[in-house]
Amino acid sequence: RIQTAILPPVDYIKSVIPDHFIVYKPRDIVSGGFYCITHKEGKTIVAVVDCTGHGVPGAFMSMLGFAFLNEIVNKERELKANEILNLLRDAVKKSLHQTGKEDETKDGMDIALCIIDVKASKLQYAGAYNPLYLIRNEDFISLKADRMPIGIHIKEKESFTNHEIDIQKNDTIYIFTDGYID
């Protein structure tokens, strides 16, 4: 109940993104996955997140990730998708004391995050393993995620990639975790 309570209410989601659908079917009673939708300064931020672990360990990570993501989005004035992921990665590494040593935890999360500015017809996307798919008329556009998680990684780049594209009226955007594929 607590984990479900932190998810955005259906009425709020409909007010922010009227035409949408969400498939959320946790494997266990508690889940390592969550989604986040918020609207700030004329922009809509949407994220789908899959944390390492299932059940209780995944649920602890998802609560941690949810709290950090909300703090970052609410605190930062100028939002950029990749900067949100950079800050989230730093927060996870700091809270889990991840320095790269062999015996420490390698827990983290995969995420697809986009910022939609309907007024400017722009979309920003950044991902940690999870891509974004866009369907425009008959065209399929895939924005690739960086091949590193939110958390410690052996081949960590300094920053996540920020993709910015123009969006059109009837574009359909899909973001997801590998949980659906699994």
Side-chain angles (χ1 to χ4, degrees):
R1 283 181 284 141
I2 293 169
Q3 197 172 30
T4 303
I6 67 168
L7 298 174
V10 174
D11 291 343
Y12 175 74
I13 297 170
K14 283 182 182 178
S15 73
V16 175
I17 309 171
D19 190 15
H20 75 280
F21 73 92
I22 297 170
V23 177
Y24 180 69
K25 295 185 174 198
R27 190 180 99 171
D28 297 312
I29 293 170
V30 290
S31 174
F34 67 93
Y35 55 92
C36 184
I37 300 167
T38 191
H39 190 77
K40 180 181 175 184
E41 297 179 15
K43 297 177 182 173
T44 303
I45 299 99
V46 182
V48 293
V49 186
D50 184 23
C51 302
T52 55
H54 295 283
V56 174
F60 276 120
M61 280 299 297
S62 71
M63 296 299 281
L64 191 67
F66 186 84
F68 286 145
L69 194 54
N70 274 329
E71 181 181 343
I72 292 164
V73 168
N74 289 321
K75 189 171 138 182
E76 296 300 314
R77 296 276 303 145
E78 186 61 36
L79 297 172
K80 288 194 179 253
N82 68 323
E83 290 174 6
I84 292 171
L85 295 195
N86 292 336
L87 292 168
L88 182 59
R89 177 177 59 185
D90 291 346
V92 166
K93 286 169 53 176
K94 183 177 179 182
S95 70
L96 297 179
H97 307 287
Q98 294 178 336
T99 60
K101 294 179 185 168
E102 249 184 71
D103 59 338
E104 67 190 16
T105 178
K106 304 283 190 282
D107 292 316
M109 52 194 79
D110 300 341
I111 184 171
L113 183 138
C114 54
I115 300 173
I116 305 162
D117 186 339
V118 175
K119 197 173 189 177
S121 297
K122 298 278 185 194
L123 177 136
Q124 287 182 52
Y125 157 77
Y129 285 115
N130 294 339
L132 177 142
Y133 295 158
L134 186 143
I135 308 296
R136 177 176 291 153
N137 302 319
E138 300 293 319
D139 295 329
F140 173 82
I141 301 165
S142 175
L143 299 180
K144 294 190 184 315
D146 289 302
R147 307 273 315 146
M148 60 182 178
I150 300 295
I152 198 78
H153 188 55
I154 195 163
K155 294 181 181 178
E156 189 175 294
K157 295 191 299 186
E158 186 176 321
S159 178
F160 286 91
T161 306
N162 198 56
H163 301 270
E164 189 169 325
I165 61 168
D166 294 325
I167 53 175
Q168 297 175 7
K169 184 176 181 188
N170 291 316
D171 285 352
T172 303
I173 300 161
Y174 296 92
I175 55 175
F176 50 89
T177 70
D178 67 353
Y180 186 75
I181 296 162
D182 290 349

